[in-house]
Amino acid sequence: MVMNHRKKLVTLAAAVMLTSSMPAAAFAESVDKPAVSAVSGDAAVPNVGSVAPVDVKVSKEKAESLARQLVSIPKDYTLQGASLSTDTLAGGKRSVWGMDFVYKVNGKSKGSIYVRLNADDGQLLDYSAYLDNPSAKPTYPLKVERDKAQQIAYSFLSTVAAKYKDQVKYNPEYGAQTLPPLSGEVRHTLRFDRIVGDIPYVDNYIELDVDSEGHVLRYSLQWDDTIKFPKVDVKLTADEAKTKLIEQAKPELRYIIPYNVQGPRNPVLSYDMGAFAIDAATGKEVQSSYVNSDQVSETPLSDKSLGDAPAASNITEDQAKKAVLAAFTLPANAEFSSSSYSENTDESSGVASANWRLDWELKNGKESIGSASATVDSRTGVVSSFYFYEYNNKSTNAKPALSYDQAEAKAIEAVKKQLPWVADELYIVKRDKSQYDPDKVQNIDSYYFNFVHKVNGAITDYDNVNITIDANTGVVRSYDASINPYKYSETAPKVITPAQAIEKWMTYYRTELTYYLTQNYVYQGQPIPVQKYNLMVASGEIQPSDVESNTAAQLIYRLVPRQLDESIFLDAVSGDWRNRETGDKTQLEKPKATDIDGHWAQRQLELMVAYKALDVKDGKVRPNEIVTRGELIKMLVLAMNSGRSPIMYESADSATSASFNDVGKQSQYYVYIESALQQNLIDIGDGSFKPDGKVDREEMAELIVRALGYNSLANYDELFNINFKDAAKFENKGQAAIVVGLKIMTLSNGSFLPEKQVSRAEASVAFFRFLQTRAELQEAPLRN
């Protein structure tokens, strides 16, 4: 019965796979032949509901028919829903049909297709498809690499968006993976930018997703034909633009913390420089509609520290309550309701913390009308957070009792009182006061302020102080502060100059000429900034209909970051590029091995070099050298983790965190060896790992079999037909039989050669075959 039931399920799964295949438009038999084939009108399904009472050029029925033709929707997919909406364009609007098609088996959804069409001319705007196919599994290496996917994508768009195909240019960087894939489950995202007079307008494009089997799973036409592009007779050259960008660049010192560093996490001083743009004709910086007009004060709250940091202690609940009441004013109707105590050790820093959480209820007689809460550090007595809130307590005053400046003064005094030891390192963020103008903004009940923590002139990214002041009473309504107890040098470290930082960052960015849309507003004949427009609308002073608006295209030069396989930052002290995750020194240009061209394992070696599983010294990867145990483990863990480095949170006590006595936290193999141990790929043995030791074929076979999850099976070597000539020479015959049977490793004249040491090239090939085999062995679950 069990076998019959399983056979029945297999048959059902196969039937689902065959009858619910993707639309013909999602497949490409040849890149020279359009992927879309028309379906006759007979394929249409019965209408959903009654005829839609809308007045558009393309009716719902026509839109459905077009959708079925454009992306060849099979008959089995029925129209489940249709909606008509409006898109706002730069110079008008357009009506759009959105349609959902579903495929069901026994009442269960097995596939869906979503289509958006222009309701004025029938142009396909969006398409996406999903198929619940439990029998599908990826293959490795990919059947369709990115270059073939590009051809498939262009063939598709040439059919469904024929009038646009000569107005676009392939963007080779967008969506490109910086590292070759280690899995067969890959979607290639490809973009074709709109070209206007040989200049790309990157906000208009056609974007597609093509999977590694060659199926088009998503298509999107982001295009606005109403945009008016200016004729620019004179513009800066690329070199002139680069000079202007350098002149206006503003590098900023910031302390950051790499989030997966080996060893204790400590602040690192970096130079940050974000991307920006300039007008292509004037060279002036372009201000985005969303630019933040807030500025950090140039002076701290105090010219010197106003007190010492609190000493360590252990405070009781009663002491914690007193600390809150001494720091902030609670409403008279607040009744203490509950408390809780918690302790925690930060895995990344090893720092232990303990806190009291205190709660109050605001009462009006027996009725609850609000709440209050506070968190107090039980080791120092410092209040880290506080708030109170009254339900439905909206101010009816026409104007607040406190002005913005008065509220700001109260916020500063409150922060100085709570954090006196860092008062000389806290800087208030100066806001645009117009957003609190009582003549334009109704019902101002509170003012919000935040403060930046600077050490030696550098912003600490991980610290924050926020406070809200009641606009009528002047009391603190909310407060939240996090000042981490990191230690900094008393004097500012010597750093590279801003000019040197800019020079480094300009090797990271490239300069691109493109168009940028700006929204212009005119009120009573006078242009007004977008910030003022938003404020006037929000306050009710004007209605959008009172203002004339237009969208204009502006030609700009902008900085575009280069694509890297890692997030980086610029070390302000050394001037080196470092990995944002690990803090390790890195470089923008990746090393390329010069000694593997034409090598029999060139492709596999390039893969290992790309993922830094093998190092490159003086441009050489040394393919014929014997691979070390550390290198082999790194290869294996990266292969199992899709190329991602494992994350290890370590305490500050490095003496107790390393599992092996010869692989400390500073070792380049530490995280990989610890990860392999956690996954039972290796054993602790006598406590030493010997990362520089050489690897023989028997050891590599054992690692691969463990990674595949077949090690227990390998113990039953009587199950295998083992006819190695040298089978008597080694013990783990089952493991050897598995890797040979799966064609991950091969025999040499009928012998396995277990003691033969493995070269770097041989190890690279073995792990490439491991990736292939893993994909082939993946078995999808059977479903009813």
Side-chain angles (χ1 to χ4, degrees):
M1 289 298 291
V2 173
M3 293 298 292
N4 290 339
H5 180 59
R6 178 175 175 83
K7 182 176 180 181
K8 182 178 179 181
L9 288 174
V10 172
T11 304
L12 176 61
V16 169
M17 179 180 69
L18 292 173
T19 60
S20 63
S21 59
M22 297 295 296
F27 289 83
E29 297 177 1
S30 168
V31 295
D32 300 319
K33 180 180 178 181
V36 180
S37 59
V39 176
S40 68
D42 295 337
V45 298
N47 290 332
V48 178
S50 60
V51 176
V54 293
D55 183 18
V56 288
K57 293 180 181 179
V58 178
S59 66
K60 185 195 74 174
E61 292 73 24
K62 179 61 174 176
E64 179 187 351
S65 177
L66 282 171
R68 289 184 176 277
Q69 293 175 39
L70 287 168
V71 294
S72 302
I73 299 174
K75 296 179 181 180
D76 295 328
Y77 282 72
T78 60
L79 180 62
Q80 178 171 282
S83 63
L84 187 67
S85 59
T86 300
D87 286 349
T88 300
L89 305 176
K93 300 180 183 295
R94 71 180 172 207
S95 298
V96 176
W97 281 111
M99 297 192 158
D100 285 292
F101 299 84
V102 296
Y103 171 70
K104 292 184 178 181
V105 176
N106 297 328
K108 293 183 177 180
S109 178
K110 290 295 181 181
S112 64
I113 297 170
Y114 177 67
V115 175
R116 288 179 79 241
L117 293 167
N118 187 324
D120 297 320
D121 61 13
Q123 172 63 53
L124 179 68
L125 300 177
D126 288 280
Y127 153 78
S128 60
Y130 166 74
L131 178 65
D132 181 11
N133 185 359
S135 299
K137 63 180 181 180
T139 58
Y140 190 86
L142 310 183
K143 288 183 180 178
V144 174
E145 300 283 0
R146 187 172 176 84
D147 55 349
K148 181 72 174 291
Q150 176 194 343
Q151 298 173 52
I152 293 171
Y154 188 73
S155 176
F156 184 93
L157 74 86
S158 296
T159 302
V160 301
K163 75 174 184 178
Y164 298 108
K165 69 183 182 67
D166 295 327
Q167 301 179 58
V168 297
K169 183 178 180 180
Y170 175 61
N171 185 332
E173 292 193 350
Y174 186 86
Q177 290 183 283
T178 53
L179 289 171
L182 293 182
S183 166
E185 297 177 291
V186 170
R187 274 195 180 198
H188 303 289
T189 297
L190 306 116
R191 178 174 286 191
F192 298 81
D193 291 328
R194 180 180 183 178
I195 302 298
V196 181
D198 296 327
I199 297 172
Y201 173 46
V202 294
D203 288 333
N204 274 189
Y205 52 83
I206 301 176
E207 188 172 295
L208 305 96
D209 283 354
V210 179
D211 71 10
S212 55
E213 299 289 315
H215 308 154
V216 178
L217 301 180
R218 184 179 67 87
Y219 154 91
S220 180
L221 173 66
Q222 299 294 322
W223 206 282
D224 187 346
D225 285 314
T226 68
I227 297 173
K228 303 294 184 183
F229 292 94
K231 181 181 179 182
V232 181
D233 296 322
V234 179
K235 66 177 185 292
L236 300 172
T237 66
D239 288 339
E240 290 171 336
K242 186 175 181 180
T243 299
K244 290 288 186 181
L245 287 163
I246 289 173
E247 290 174 356
Q248 297 175 63
K250 304 177 185 67
E252 187 175 45
L253 286 169
R254 308 183 81 92
Y255 277 104
I256 65 170
I257 299 177
Y259 50 88
N260 191 22
V261 66
Q262 295 184 31
R265 296 175 66 194
N266 292 310
V268 180
L269 191 57
S270 71
Y271 254 124
D272 182 55
M273 191 180 93
F276 63 101
I278 59 172
D279 184 283
T282 66
K284 293 182 179 180
E285 185 175 353
V286 173
Q287 295 295 324
S288 166
S289 299
Y290 303 100
V291 68
N292 187 350
S293 59
D294 299 340
Q295 298 291 329
V296 177
S297 171
E298 295 183 359
T299 57
L301 304 188
S302 172
D303 58 0
K304 63 181 180 179
S305 174
L306 301 178
D308 297 327
S313 61
N314 288 298
I315 65 172
T316 64
E317 175 193 306
D318 188 57
Q319 291 172 319
K321 282 195 287 185
K322 289 179 179 179
V324 174
L325 296 175
F328 303 106
T329 302
L330 274 169
N333 57 347
E335 295 183 8
F336 185 70
S337 57
S338 65
S339 69
S340 62
Y341 173 81
S342 62
E343 294 181 354
N344 180 60
T345 299
D346 186 338
E347 290 183 336
S348 63
S349 65
V351 175
S353 62
N355 294 286
W356 283 105
R357 163 67 185 262
L358 309 171
D359 294 288
W360 289 263
E361 188 175 11
L362 308 187
K363 291 288 198 74
N364 182 7
K366 293 184 177 181
E367 180 186 5
S368 177
I369 61 170
S371 63
S373 177
T375 305
V376 183
D377 187 327
S378 74
R379 305 289 174 89
T380 62
V382 173
V383 181
S384 56
S385 71
F386 167 81
Y387 88 92
F388 75 85
Y389 177 74
E390 294 181 78
Y391 313 137
N392 302 318
N393 182 31
K394 292 186 178 180
S395 173
T396 58
N397 294 337
K399 292 185 178 181
L402 269 70
S403 68
Y404 178 89
D405 290 336
Q406 290 172 322
E408 181 185 86
K410 286 185 174 295
I412 290 174
E413 286 306 310
V415 171
K416 289 164 67 174
K417 177 183 176 182
Q418 297 308 308
L419 303 167
W421 65 95
V422 287
D424 57 334
E425 297 177 349
L426 294 177
Y427 297 72
I428 192 168
V429 176
K430 294 288 186 178
R431 300 192 177 280
D432 179 2
K433 295 182 184 180
S434 63
Q435 62 185 294
Y436 289 112
D437 187 341
D439 294 327
K440 298 178 180 179
V441 181
Q442 298 177 356
N443 298 326
I444 299 176
D445 61 353
S446 60
Y447 297 98
Y448 170 79
F449 303 93
N450 67 302
F451 299 78
V452 169
H453 182 206
K454 288 186 179 183
V455 177
N456 297 322
I459 293 175
T460 59
D461 269 355
Y462 35 82
D463 290 340
N464 66 84
V465 179
N466 307 298
I467 191 167
T468 303
I469 302 296
D470 189 292
N472 292 299
T473 65
V475 301
V476 176
R477 295 185 65 90
S478 70
Y479 169 83
D480 180 73
S482 175
I483 304 294
N484 287 274
Y486 293 114
K487 293 183 178 180
Y488 304 90
S489 59
E490 293 185 3
T491 58
K494 185 177 181 181
V495 298
I496 62 175
T497 65
Q500 290 173 317
I502 294 171
E503 183 180 2
K504 295 283 290 188
W505 276 109
M506 292 302 288
T507 64
Y508 171 75
Y509 291 114
R510 62 180 173 85
T511 304
E512 178 183 70
L513 180 64
T514 186
Y515 287 98
Y516 167 77
L517 287 192
T518 58
Q519 193 77 17
N520 301 314
Y521 298 95
V522 178
Y523 177 60
Q524 295 181 347
Q526 297 296 322
I528 57 175
V530 62
Q531 294 90 348
K532 184 174 182 180
Y533 167 79
N534 292 332
L535 180 63
M536 293 172 74
V537 170
S539 66
E541 182 179 352
I542 60 173
Q543 297 299 317
S545 57
D546 299 333
V547 180
E548 296 179 20
S549 67
N550 64 79
T551 302
Q554 180 181 5
L555 190 62
I556 64 169
Y557 278 103
R558 68 172 188 167
L559 293 177
V560 180
R562 68 163 68 194
Q563 283 207 318
L564 299 175
D565 57 20
E566 59 185 332
S567 177
I568 53 99
F569 70 91
L570 180 62
D571 188 313
V573 175
S574 67
D576 294 327
W577 293 110
R578 295 192 179 275
N579 184 291
R580 186 65 179 80
E581 178 182 354
T582 65
D584 295 337
K585 184 178 176 180
T586 187
Q587 54 192 32
L588 301 184
E589 299 294 339
K590 299 307 175 189
K592 180 173 172 39
T594 60
D595 59 344
I596 58 175
D597 287 345
H599 193 280
W600 61 271
Q602 179 177 343
R603 180 184 183 186
Q604 294 86 348
L605 284 162
E606 287 174 341
L607 189 68
M608 294 298 114
V609 169
Y611 280 94
K612 300 180 182 178
L614 294 177
D615 63 333
V616 177
K617 293 181 179 179
D618 301 323
K620 299 182 184 298
V621 72
R622 311 174 307 284
N624 299 321
E625 281 189 9
I626 304 303
V627 72
T628 67
R629 290 166 58 83
E631 290 170 339
L632 196 72
I633 287 296
K634 186 174 183 179
M635 284 185 186
L636 178 62
V637 172
L638 285 172
M640 295 181 66
N641 205 33
S642 299
R644 296 184 299 272
S645 175
I647 295 177
M648 291 282 174
Y649 291 113
E650 301 294 340
S651 70
D653 187 0
S654 60
T656 60
S657 60
S659 299
F660 292 96
N661 55 33
D662 55 353
V663 185
K665 287 168 56 175
Q666 301 307 314
S667 168
Q668 61 174 315
Y669 302 118
Y670 173 75
V671 294
Y672 303 98
I673 291 171
E674 291 291 333
S675 177
L677 183 64
Q678 291 176 6
Q679 297 179 71
N680 295 318
L681 302 178
I682 56 177
D683 301 317
I684 195 68
D686 62 0
S688 61
F689 182 77
K690 302 180 179 64
D692 297 323
K694 307 304 182 184
V695 177
D696 59 37
R697 285 169 54 84
E698 183 175 10
E699 184 175 6
M700 186 167 73
E702 179 183 358
L703 278 172
I704 291 173
V705 170
R706 282 194 174 200
L708 289 171
Y710 291 162
N711 202 48
S712 296
L713 179 64
N715 293 329
Y716 299 94
D717 53 19
E718 66 274 9
L719 297 176
F720 305 100
N721 181 20
I722 300 174
N723 54 9
F724 308 155
K725 291 179 181 179
D726 53 355
K729 291 184 178 180
F730 60 103
E731 182 177 350
N732 299 321
K733 303 179 184 63
Q735 293 168 338
I738 289 174
V739 294
V740 171
L742 294 174
K743 299 180 181 179
I744 296 174
M745 297 175 68
T746 58
L747 300 177
S748 177
N749 296 322
S751 298
F752 186 77
L753 307 177
E755 297 178 351
K756 182 179 181 294
Q757 292 182 332
V758 181
S759 71
R760 290 154 73 91
E762 291 168 335
S764 299
V765 170
F767 280 105
F768 186 84
R769 292 174 179 168
F770 164 80
L771 293 170
Q772 290 177 292
T773 302
R774 182 181 61 175
E776 293 168 1
L777 292 175
Q778 287 179 350
E779 182 177 359
L782 296 174
R783 303 176 186 173
N784 288 318

